Amino acid sequence: MSLFNVYQLFDITPVKAKDVFVYDENGTQYLDLYGGHAVISIGHSHPTYVKNISEQVAKLGFYSNSIQNPLQVKLATELVKQSTCKDYQLFLCNSGAEANENALKLASFHTNKKKVISFTNSFHGRTSAAVAATDNTKIVAPINAQQEVEFFDLGDLESVEKALIKEDVCAVIIECIQGVGGLDESTTEFYKGLEALCRKYKTVLIADEVQSGFGRTGDFFAFQKHKITPDIISIAKGMGNGFPIGGILIHPTIKASYGLLGTTFGGNHLACVACLTVLEVLEKENLLENARMISEYFIEKAAVIPEIKKIKGRGLMLGIEFDFPIAALRKELIFKHHIFTGSAKNPNLLRILPPLTIKKEHVDQFFDALKNELSNVITNVVK
Ligand SMILES: Cc1ncc(COP(=O)(O)O)c(C=O)c1O
């Protein structure tokens, strides 16, 4: 059977990985500044992660949500401690799209409304309501297009209010720093304004922290910089360091009832241990502080490169923008310099999403390679 051909693949086959490095079948070492799309938080094959998951799978890998699972309770407790998001309730699932799907569904149950407000260049996943709230018509099938979603530009509070005033909107969903869209972030005034409007018109504010959460921006959640209190926070990616797990934090104003949400695999024993280990290592190794420190170092180095027109993002969720498309540069970085980086909807933006364990020497390695390639690009243009 052939594979359903939906991914444009780089011809590289990783067979093992350690911390910030990935190795292919020939033993070639790659510096991972992509983190498998912002997923690797505590580093590949972290020894505590390997130990804890191995021990758990030898004991009990999975049982359904029909029994007591104290690991879920422990996870909720740890999450409150580290995120400082008190009083929320936790529902666990398996991916970012599923987290947003549940968030939107819950918002609709809670308000008994069905329209959604989302933003230009947003990405919230590929399932039903999540993809409808994603600003990319290419991935919205007719079956998804039946969802009623209105898109506004980041910062445009006036249009948001004009839509909310009709009182038919169940949720406003937003990434405080956009990921796939290209790392745009609006002002604190905007996010606070959005929060106030949601309260005024009884609409659920959903912060999509699938990519930006779990310390990636140097804060536990990206929205915390703006001091807002979302009604629902969706999480995934870095939460499991590669083990599939997602979830939503739900404000106490939204009440649970039996059967309202549900899942077979969500919150299983292995997934909980993966996430508990991520939280343990984030704290023990001071990885949020490392994210802030390395980010500063990266930005300092990027600022003196004239070809870089803009540095975007926060923490280790960064983008550098050029005045040319980066596809060829990204290929050279992979195949010649053995460095993985990411792309974005904006074709001129190179994305940097490394494990939060990255050190200055790895940043130096990247900038040496980048400078080398930029001098080649310029030479080729002159030719
Ligand atoms: C902000 C955001 N939300 C949701 C998703 C979807 O997550 P998943 O691919 O785990 O379904 C992504 C994935 O890139 C994302 O960046």
Side-chain angles (χ1 to χ4, degrees), residues 37-39 94-100 122-127 130 134 175 177-180 208-212 234 236-237 245 317 351:
H37 205 133
V39 165
N94 309 284
S95 70
E98 210 187 323
N100 286 329
S122 59
F123 185 91
H124 298 295
R126 291 169 181 272
T127 55
T134 288
E175 302 156 86
I177 299 184
Q178 292 187 330
V180 176
D208 180 345
E209 292 278 348
V210 166
Q211 187 164 147
S212 52
S234 50
K237 289 195 188 279
I245 178 169
M317 186 169 170
R351 277 203 299 162

PDB file of all heavy atoms in Angstrom, residues 37-39 94-100 122-127 130 134 175 177-180 208-212 234 236-237 245 317 351, ligand 1:
ATOM      1  N   HIS A  37       8.305  20.969  14.529  1.00  0.00           N
ATOM      2  CA  HIS A  37       7.225  21.974  14.531  1.00  0.00           C
ATOM      3  C   HIS A  37       6.826  22.361  15.969  1.00  0.00           C
ATOM      4  O   HIS A  37       5.671  22.180  16.384  1.00  0.00           O
ATOM      5  CB  HIS A  37       6.000  21.497  13.736  1.00  0.00           C
ATOM      6  CG  HIS A  37       5.194  22.661  13.224  1.00  0.00           C
ATOM      7  ND1 HIS A  37       4.740  22.774  11.943  1.00  0.00           N
ATOM      8  CD2 HIS A  37       4.790  23.784  13.852  1.00  0.00           C
ATOM      9  CE1 HIS A  37       4.092  23.896  11.800  1.00  0.00           C
ATOM     10  NE2 HIS A  37       4.106  24.535  12.943  1.00  0.00           N
ATOM     11  N   ALA A  38       7.802  22.860  16.687  1.00  0.00           N
ATOM     12  CA  ALA A  38       7.572  23.424  18.043  1.00  0.00           C
ATOM     13  C   ALA A  38       7.079  22.387  19.053  1.00  0.00           C
ATOM     14  O   ALA A  38       6.432  22.728  20.034  1.00  0.00           O
ATOM     15  CB  ALA A  38       6.588  24.595  17.986  1.00  0.00           C
ATOM     16  N   VAL A  39       7.387  21.133  18.802  1.00  0.00           N
ATOM     17  CA  VAL A  39       6.903  20.059  19.674  1.00  0.00           C
ATOM     18  C   VAL A  39       7.928  19.703  20.755  1.00  0.00           C
ATOM     19  O   VAL A  39       7.574  19.447  21.903  1.00  0.00           O
ATOM     20  CB  VAL A  39       6.558  18.814  18.825  1.00  0.00           C
ATOM     21  CG1 VAL A  39       6.398  17.574  19.696  1.00  0.00           C
ATOM     22  CG2 VAL A  39       5.297  19.065  18.007  1.00  0.00           C
ATOM     23  N   ASN A  94      -5.887  14.626  22.585  1.00  0.00           N
ATOM     24  CA  ASN A  94      -4.690  14.049  21.952  1.00  0.00           C
ATOM     25  C   ASN A  94      -3.905  14.955  21.010  1.00  0.00           C
ATOM     26  O   ASN A  94      -2.840  14.557  20.543  1.00  0.00           O
ATOM     27  CB  ASN A  94      -5.094  12.797  21.168  1.00  0.00           C
ATOM     28  CG  ASN A  94      -5.906  11.848  22.001  1.00  0.00           C
ATOM     29  OD1 ASN A  94      -5.374  11.145  22.843  1.00  0.00           O
ATOM     30  ND2 ASN A  94      -7.217  11.854  21.804  1.00  0.00           N
ATOM     31  N   SER A  95      -4.441  16.093  20.648  1.00  0.00           N
ATOM     32  CA  SER A  95      -3.740  16.946  19.670  1.00  0.00           C
ATOM     33  C   SER A  95      -4.226  18.381  19.790  1.00  0.00           C
ATOM     34  O   SER A  95      -5.209  18.660  20.499  1.00  0.00           O
ATOM     35  CB  SER A  95      -4.011  16.457  18.240  1.00  0.00           C
ATOM     36  OG  SER A  95      -5.364  16.723  17.907  1.00  0.00           O
ATOM     37  N   GLY A  96      -3.556  19.264  19.054  1.00  0.00           N
ATOM     38  CA  GLY A  96      -3.916  20.680  19.082  1.00  0.00           C
ATOM     39  C   GLY A  96      -5.274  20.944  18.450  1.00  0.00           C
ATOM     40  O   GLY A  96      -6.093  21.704  18.987  1.00  0.00           O
ATOM     41  N   ALA A  97      -5.529  20.302  17.305  1.00  0.00           N
ATOM     42  CA  ALA A  97      -6.816  20.508  16.625  1.00  0.00           C
ATOM     43  C   ALA A  97      -7.949  20.025  17.518  1.00  0.00           C
ATOM     44  O   ALA A  97      -8.986  20.681  17.657  1.00  0.00           O
ATOM     45  CB  ALA A  97      -6.827  19.749  15.299  1.00  0.00           C
ATOM     46  N   GLU A  98      -7.714  18.876  18.156  1.00  0.00           N
ATOM     47  CA  GLU A  98      -8.745  18.310  19.022  1.00  0.00           C
ATOM     48  C   GLU A  98      -9.000  19.222  20.234  1.00  0.00           C
ATOM     49  O   GLU A  98     -10.142  19.357  20.693  1.00  0.00           O
ATOM     50  CB  GLU A  98      -8.296  16.929  19.491  1.00  0.00           C
ATOM     51  CG  GLU A  98      -9.427  15.982  19.756  1.00  0.00           C
ATOM     52  CD  GLU A  98      -8.956  14.686  20.384  1.00  0.00           C
ATOM     53  OE1 GLU A  98      -7.867  14.184  20.023  1.00  0.00           O
ATOM     54  OE2 GLU A  98      -9.664  14.195  21.263  1.00  0.00           O
ATOM     55  N   ALA A  99      -7.940  19.837  20.725  1.00  0.00           N
ATOM     56  CA  ALA A  99      -8.082  20.776  21.845  1.00  0.00           C
ATOM     57  C   ALA A  99      -8.978  21.945  21.413  1.00  0.00           C
ATOM     58  O   ALA A  99      -9.938  22.304  22.107  1.00  0.00           O
ATOM     59  CB  ALA A  99      -6.716  21.277  22.300  1.00  0.00           C
ATOM     60  N   ASN A 100      -8.686  22.524  20.255  1.00  0.00           N
ATOM     61  CA  ASN A 100      -9.491  23.659  19.777  1.00  0.00           C
ATOM     62  C   ASN A 100     -10.920  23.238  19.436  1.00  0.00           C
ATOM     63  O   ASN A 100     -11.872  23.991  19.648  1.00  0.00           O
ATOM     64  CB  ASN A 100      -8.819  24.314  18.570  1.00  0.00           C
ATOM     65  CG  ASN A 100      -7.608  25.135  18.999  1.00  0.00           C
ATOM     66  OD1 ASN A 100      -7.588  25.673  20.105  1.00  0.00           O
ATOM     67  ND2 ASN A 100      -6.596  25.223  18.145  1.00  0.00           N
ATOM     68  N   SER A 122      -4.628  33.215  10.967  1.00  0.00           N
ATOM     69  CA  SER A 122      -4.660  32.278  12.093  1.00  0.00           C
ATOM     70  C   SER A 122      -4.520  30.836  11.621  1.00  0.00           C
ATOM     71  O   SER A 122      -4.826  30.508  10.463  1.00  0.00           O
ATOM     72  CB  SER A 122      -5.995  32.418  12.829  1.00  0.00           C
ATOM     73  OG  SER A 122      -7.047  32.154  11.916  1.00  0.00           O
ATOM     74  N   PHE A 123      -4.072  29.964  12.523  1.00  0.00           N
ATOM     75  CA  PHE A 123      -4.073  28.518  12.284  1.00  0.00           C
ATOM     76  C   PHE A 123      -4.516  27.824  13.569  1.00  0.00           C
ATOM     77  O   PHE A 123      -3.896  28.001  14.618  1.00  0.00           O
ATOM     78  CB  PHE A 123      -2.688  28.000  11.868  1.00  0.00           C
ATOM     79  CG  PHE A 123      -2.714  26.537  11.493  1.00  0.00           C
ATOM     80  CD1 PHE A 123      -2.941  26.138  10.185  1.00  0.00           C
ATOM     81  CD2 PHE A 123      -2.564  25.554  12.455  1.00  0.00           C
ATOM     82  CE1 PHE A 123      -3.011  24.782   9.831  1.00  0.00           C
ATOM     83  CE2 PHE A 123      -2.634  24.195  12.126  1.00  0.00           C
ATOM     84  CZ  PHE A 123      -2.855  23.813  10.814  1.00  0.00           C
ATOM     85  N   HIS A 124      -5.584  27.023  13.466  1.00  0.00           N
ATOM     86  CA  HIS A 124      -6.084  26.360  14.671  1.00  0.00           C
ATOM     87  C   HIS A 124      -6.229  24.846  14.509  1.00  0.00           C
ATOM     88  O   HIS A 124      -6.767  24.185  15.396  1.00  0.00           O
ATOM     89  CB  HIS A 124      -7.420  26.978  15.099  1.00  0.00           C
ATOM     90  CG  HIS A 124      -7.312  28.436  15.446  1.00  0.00           C
ATOM     91  ND1 HIS A 124      -6.583  28.890  16.514  1.00  0.00           N
ATOM     92  CD2 HIS A 124      -7.797  29.551  14.828  1.00  0.00           C
ATOM     93  CE1 HIS A 124      -6.641  30.222  16.573  1.00  0.00           C
ATOM     94  NE2 HIS A 124      -7.364  30.652  15.552  1.00  0.00           N
ATOM     95  N   GLY A 125      -5.795  24.291  13.369  1.00  0.00           N
ATOM     96  CA  GLY A 125      -5.880  22.843  13.200  1.00  0.00           C
ATOM     97  C   GLY A 125      -6.727  22.473  11.996  1.00  0.00           C
ATOM     98  O   GLY A 125      -7.252  23.341  11.301  1.00  0.00           O
ATOM     99  N   ARG A 126      -6.881  21.156  11.781  1.00  0.00           N
ATOM    100  CA  ARG A 126      -7.487  20.695  10.527  1.00  0.00           C
ATOM    101  C   ARG A 126      -8.815  19.962  10.695  1.00  0.00           C
ATOM    102  O   ARG A 126      -9.341  19.414   9.728  1.00  0.00           O
ATOM    103  CB  ARG A 126      -6.486  19.785   9.805  1.00  0.00           C
ATOM    104  CG  ARG A 126      -5.288  20.568   9.297  1.00  0.00           C
ATOM    105  CD  ARG A 126      -4.189  19.650   8.824  1.00  0.00           C
ATOM    106  NE  ARG A 126      -3.053  20.427   8.363  1.00  0.00           N
ATOM    107  CZ  ARG A 126      -2.890  20.873   7.133  1.00  0.00           C
ATOM    108  NH1 ARG A 126      -3.786  20.608   6.206  1.00  0.00           N
ATOM    109  NH2 ARG A 126      -1.831  21.582   6.807  1.00  0.00           N
ATOM    110  N   THR A 127      -9.335  19.912  11.909  1.00  0.00           N
ATOM    111  CA  THR A 127     -10.635  19.245  12.100  1.00  0.00           C
ATOM    112  C   THR A 127     -11.769  20.242  11.872  1.00  0.00           C
ATOM    113  O   THR A 127     -11.521  21.414  11.568  1.00  0.00           O
ATOM    114  CB  THR A 127     -10.718  18.640  13.508  1.00  0.00           C
ATOM    115  OG1 THR A 127     -10.465  19.684  14.453  1.00  0.00           O
ATOM    116  CG2 THR A 127      -9.702  17.525  13.693  1.00  0.00           C
ATOM    117  N   ALA A 130     -12.227  23.685  14.005  1.00  0.00           N
ATOM    118  CA  ALA A 130     -10.868  24.253  14.102  1.00  0.00           C
ATOM    119  C   ALA A 130     -10.371  24.705  12.730  1.00  0.00           C
ATOM    120  O   ALA A 130      -9.794  25.789  12.590  1.00  0.00           O
ATOM    121  CB  ALA A 130      -9.909  23.227  14.708  1.00  0.00           C
ATOM    122  N   THR A 134      -9.621  28.553  10.781  1.00  0.00           N
ATOM    123  CA  THR A 134      -8.256  28.754  10.279  1.00  0.00           C
ATOM    124  C   THR A 134      -8.309  29.560   8.993  1.00  0.00           C
ATOM    125  O   THR A 134      -9.126  29.276   8.110  1.00  0.00           O
ATOM    126  CB  THR A 134      -7.596  27.369  10.044  1.00  0.00           C
ATOM    127  OG1 THR A 134      -7.327  26.790  11.318  1.00  0.00           O
ATOM    128  CG2 THR A 134      -6.315  27.467   9.252  1.00  0.00           C
ATOM    129  N   GLU A 175      -4.600  33.176  18.644  1.00  0.00           N
ATOM    130  CA  GLU A 175      -3.231  32.844  19.059  1.00  0.00           C
ATOM    131  C   GLU A 175      -2.597  34.191  19.441  1.00  0.00           C
ATOM    132  O   GLU A 175      -2.496  35.077  18.592  1.00  0.00           O
ATOM    133  CB  GLU A 175      -2.410  32.293  17.893  1.00  0.00           C
ATOM    134  CG  GLU A 175      -2.925  31.062  17.195  1.00  0.00           C
ATOM    135  CD  GLU A 175      -2.376  30.981  15.760  1.00  0.00           C
ATOM    136  OE1 GLU A 175      -1.272  30.449  15.551  1.00  0.00           O
ATOM    137  OE2 GLU A 175      -3.070  31.452  14.847  1.00  0.00           O
ATOM    138  N   ILE A 177       0.443  34.938  19.969  1.00  0.00           N
ATOM    139  CA  ILE A 177       1.481  35.108  18.928  1.00  0.00           C
ATOM    140  C   ILE A 177       1.133  34.074  17.874  1.00  0.00           C
ATOM    141  O   ILE A 177       1.025  32.879  18.183  1.00  0.00           O
ATOM    142  CB  ILE A 177       2.897  34.784  19.441  1.00  0.00           C
ATOM    143  CG1 ILE A 177       3.288  35.693  20.585  1.00  0.00           C
ATOM    144  CG2 ILE A 177       3.915  34.903  18.313  1.00  0.00           C
ATOM    145  CD1 ILE A 177       4.713  35.487  21.056  1.00  0.00           C
ATOM    146  N   GLN A 178       0.969  34.502  16.632  1.00  0.00           N
ATOM    147  CA  GLN A 178       0.598  33.543  15.597  1.00  0.00           C
ATOM    148  C   GLN A 178       1.793  32.654  15.251  1.00  0.00           C
ATOM    149  O   GLN A 178       2.939  33.110  15.208  1.00  0.00           O
ATOM    150  CB  GLN A 178       0.110  34.283  14.352  1.00  0.00           C
ATOM    151  CG  GLN A 178      -1.210  34.995  14.626  1.00  0.00           C
ATOM    152  CD  GLN A 178      -1.820  35.610  13.393  1.00  0.00           C
ATOM    153  OE1 GLN A 178      -1.114  36.010  12.476  1.00  0.00           O
ATOM    154  NE2 GLN A 178      -3.143  35.701  13.381  1.00  0.00           N
ATOM    155  N   GLY A 179       1.518  31.379  15.023  1.00  0.00           N
ATOM    156  CA  GLY A 179       2.591  30.439  14.680  1.00  0.00           C
ATOM    157  C   GLY A 179       2.758  30.328  13.179  1.00  0.00           C
ATOM    158  O   GLY A 179       3.513  31.089  12.559  1.00  0.00           O
ATOM    159  N   VAL A 180       2.001  29.408  12.591  1.00  0.00           N
ATOM    160  CA  VAL A 180       2.076  29.144  11.151  1.00  0.00           C
ATOM    161  C   VAL A 180       1.915  30.438  10.333  1.00  0.00           C
ATOM    162  O   VAL A 180       2.565  30.632   9.306  1.00  0.00           O
ATOM    163  CB  VAL A 180       0.972  28.127  10.751  1.00  0.00           C
ATOM    164  CG1 VAL A 180       0.941  27.880   9.256  1.00  0.00           C
ATOM    165  CG2 VAL A 180       1.150  26.814  11.514  1.00  0.00           C
ATOM    166  N   ASP A 208      -5.502  30.163  22.024  1.00  0.00           N
ATOM    167  CA  ASP A 208      -4.875  28.973  21.440  1.00  0.00           C
ATOM    168  C   ASP A 208      -3.387  29.021  21.770  1.00  0.00           C
ATOM    169  O   ASP A 208      -2.617  29.746  21.152  1.00  0.00           O
ATOM    170  CB  ASP A 208      -5.119  28.957  19.925  1.00  0.00           C
ATOM    171  CG  ASP A 208      -4.485  27.737  19.252  1.00  0.00           C
ATOM    172  OD1 ASP A 208      -3.639  27.072  19.884  1.00  0.00           O
ATOM    173  OD2 ASP A 208      -4.824  27.473  18.085  1.00  0.00           O
ATOM    174  N   GLU A 209      -2.998  28.232  22.778  1.00  0.00           N
ATOM    175  CA  GLU A 209      -1.592  28.178  23.217  1.00  0.00           C
ATOM    176  C   GLU A 209      -0.950  26.863  22.773  1.00  0.00           C
ATOM    177  O   GLU A 209       0.034  26.413  23.363  1.00  0.00           O
ATOM    178  CB  GLU A 209      -1.520  28.320  24.744  1.00  0.00           C
ATOM    179  CG  GLU A 209      -1.917  29.688  25.255  1.00  0.00           C
ATOM    180  CD  GLU A 209      -0.793  30.729  25.181  1.00  0.00           C
ATOM    181  OE1 GLU A 209       0.361  30.347  24.941  1.00  0.00           O
ATOM    182  OE2 GLU A 209      -1.094  31.929  25.363  1.00  0.00           O
ATOM    183  N   VAL A 210      -1.531  26.260  21.726  1.00  0.00           N
ATOM    184  CA  VAL A 210      -1.026  24.964  21.251  1.00  0.00           C
ATOM    185  C   VAL A 210       0.462  25.055  20.904  1.00  0.00           C
ATOM    186  O   VAL A 210       1.245  24.185  21.280  1.00  0.00           O
ATOM    187  CB  VAL A 210      -1.864  24.494  20.032  1.00  0.00           C
ATOM    188  CG1 VAL A 210      -1.183  23.354  19.285  1.00  0.00           C
ATOM    189  CG2 VAL A 210      -3.248  24.072  20.495  1.00  0.00           C
ATOM    190  N   GLN A 211       0.841  26.116  20.227  1.00  0.00           N
ATOM    191  CA  GLN A 211       2.242  26.269  19.832  1.00  0.00           C
ATOM    192  C   GLN A 211       3.040  27.105  20.834  1.00  0.00           C
ATOM    193  O   GLN A 211       4.199  26.837  21.117  1.00  0.00           O
ATOM    194  CB  GLN A 211       2.322  26.907  18.444  1.00  0.00           C
ATOM    195  CG  GLN A 211       3.724  26.934  17.923  1.00  0.00           C
ATOM    196  CD  GLN A 211       3.833  27.192  16.432  1.00  0.00           C
ATOM    197  OE1 GLN A 211       4.775  27.805  15.988  1.00  0.00           O
ATOM    198  NE2 GLN A 211       2.902  26.711  15.638  1.00  0.00           N
ATOM    199  N   SER A 212       2.393  28.136  21.383  1.00  0.00           N
ATOM    200  CA  SER A 212       3.129  29.108  22.203  1.00  0.00           C
ATOM    201  C   SER A 212       3.197  28.722  23.674  1.00  0.00           C
ATOM    202  O   SER A 212       3.947  29.325  24.435  1.00  0.00           O
ATOM    203  CB  SER A 212       2.455  30.482  22.062  1.00  0.00           C
ATOM    204  OG  SER A 212       1.069  30.378  22.337  1.00  0.00           O
ATOM    205  N   SER A 234      -6.199  26.472  25.088  1.00  0.00           N
ATOM    206  CA  SER A 234      -5.941  25.165  24.461  1.00  0.00           C
ATOM    207  C   SER A 234      -4.443  24.897  24.389  1.00  0.00           C
ATOM    208  O   SER A 234      -3.651  25.803  24.118  1.00  0.00           O
ATOM    209  CB  SER A 234      -6.598  25.081  23.078  1.00  0.00           C
ATOM    210  OG  SER A 234      -6.281  26.196  22.300  1.00  0.00           O
ATOM    211  N   ALA A 236      -1.154  21.779  23.555  1.00  0.00           N
ATOM    212  CA  ALA A 236      -0.716  20.506  22.918  1.00  0.00           C
ATOM    213  C   ALA A 236       0.798  20.612  22.694  1.00  0.00           C
ATOM    214  O   ALA A 236       1.518  21.043  23.594  1.00  0.00           O
ATOM    215  CB  ALA A 236      -1.473  20.233  21.628  1.00  0.00           C
ATOM    216  N   LYS A 237       1.274  20.233  21.532  1.00  0.00           N
ATOM    217  CA  LYS A 237       2.680  20.309  21.118  1.00  0.00           C
ATOM    218  C   LYS A 237       3.709  20.092  22.232  1.00  0.00           C
ATOM    219  O   LYS A 237       3.947  18.961  22.633  1.00  0.00           O
ATOM    220  CB  LYS A 237       2.928  21.627  20.389  1.00  0.00           C
ATOM    221  CG  LYS A 237       2.254  21.669  19.001  1.00  0.00           C
ATOM    222  CD  LYS A 237       2.793  22.784  18.168  1.00  0.00           C
ATOM    223  CE  LYS A 237       2.034  22.974  16.872  1.00  0.00           C
ATOM    224  NZ  LYS A 237       2.433  22.039  15.814  1.00  0.00           N
ATOM    225  N   ILE A 245      -0.399  14.463  23.029  1.00  0.00           N
ATOM    226  CA  ILE A 245      -1.313  14.861  24.121  1.00  0.00           C
ATOM    227  C   ILE A 245      -1.743  16.309  23.877  1.00  0.00           C
ATOM    228  O   ILE A 245      -0.940  17.136  23.417  1.00  0.00           O
ATOM    229  CB  ILE A 245      -0.668  14.689  25.531  1.00  0.00           C
ATOM    230  CG1 ILE A 245      -1.629  15.165  26.639  1.00  0.00           C
ATOM    231  CG2 ILE A 245       0.688  15.363  25.649  1.00  0.00           C
ATOM    232  CD1 ILE A 245      -1.205  14.798  28.057  1.00  0.00           C
ATOM    233  N   MET A 317      10.181  31.208  20.125  1.00  0.00           N
ATOM    234  CA  MET A 317       9.191  31.154  19.050  1.00  0.00           C
ATOM    235  C   MET A 317       9.502  32.381  18.181  1.00  0.00           C
ATOM    236  O   MET A 317       8.912  33.443  18.343  1.00  0.00           O
ATOM    237  CB  MET A 317       7.795  31.242  19.664  1.00  0.00           C
ATOM    238  CG  MET A 317       6.682  31.050  18.686  1.00  0.00           C
ATOM    239  SD  MET A 317       5.123  30.840  19.570  1.00  0.00           S
ATOM    240  CE  MET A 317       3.990  30.941  18.181  1.00  0.00           C
ATOM    241  N   ARG A 351      11.465  30.365  10.301  1.00  0.00           N
ATOM    242  CA  ARG A 351      11.034  30.205  11.697  1.00  0.00           C
ATOM    243  C   ARG A 351      12.020  29.386  12.506  1.00  0.00           C
ATOM    244  O   ARG A 351      12.565  28.395  12.028  1.00  0.00           O
ATOM    245  CB  ARG A 351       9.649  29.558  11.753  1.00  0.00           C
ATOM    246  CG  ARG A 351       8.568  30.591  11.567  1.00  0.00           C
ATOM    247  CD  ARG A 351       7.235  30.157  12.133  1.00  0.00           C
ATOM    248  NE  ARG A 351       6.743  28.962  11.502  1.00  0.00           N
ATOM    249  CZ  ARG A 351       5.804  28.199  12.036  1.00  0.00           C
ATOM    250  NH1 ARG A 351       5.297  28.479  13.219  1.00  0.00           N
ATOM    251  NH2 ARG A 351       5.372  27.143  11.400  1.00  0.00           N
TER     252      ARG A 351
HETATM  253  C1  LIG B   1      -1.590  27.489  17.065  1.00  0.00           C
HETATM  254  C2  LIG B   1      -1.928  26.104  16.620  1.00  0.00           C
HETATM  255  N1  LIG B   1      -3.138  25.590  16.919  1.00  0.00           N
HETATM  256  C3  LIG B   1      -3.471  24.345  16.566  1.00  0.00           C
HETATM  257  C4  LIG B   1      -2.611  23.538  15.858  1.00  0.00           C
HETATM  258  C5  LIG B   1      -3.011  22.156  15.468  1.00  0.00           C
HETATM  259  O1  LIG B   1      -2.344  21.209  16.230  1.00  0.00           O
HETATM  260  P1  LIG B   1      -2.266  19.678  15.781  1.00  0.00           P
HETATM  261  O2  LIG B   1      -1.444  19.626  14.545  1.00  0.00           O
HETATM  262  O3  LIG B   1      -1.655  18.982  16.966  1.00  0.00           O
HETATM  263  O4  LIG B   1      -3.664  19.227  15.538  1.00  0.00           O
HETATM  264  C6  LIG B   1      -1.336  24.029  15.511  1.00  0.00           C
HETATM  265  C7  LIG B   1      -0.399  23.211  14.728  1.00  0.00           C
HETATM  266  O5  LIG B   1       0.556  23.664  14.125  1.00  0.00           O
HETATM  267  C8  LIG B   1      -0.987  25.348  15.902  1.00  0.00           C
HETATM  268  O6  LIG B   1       0.199  25.876  15.586  1.00  0.00           O
END
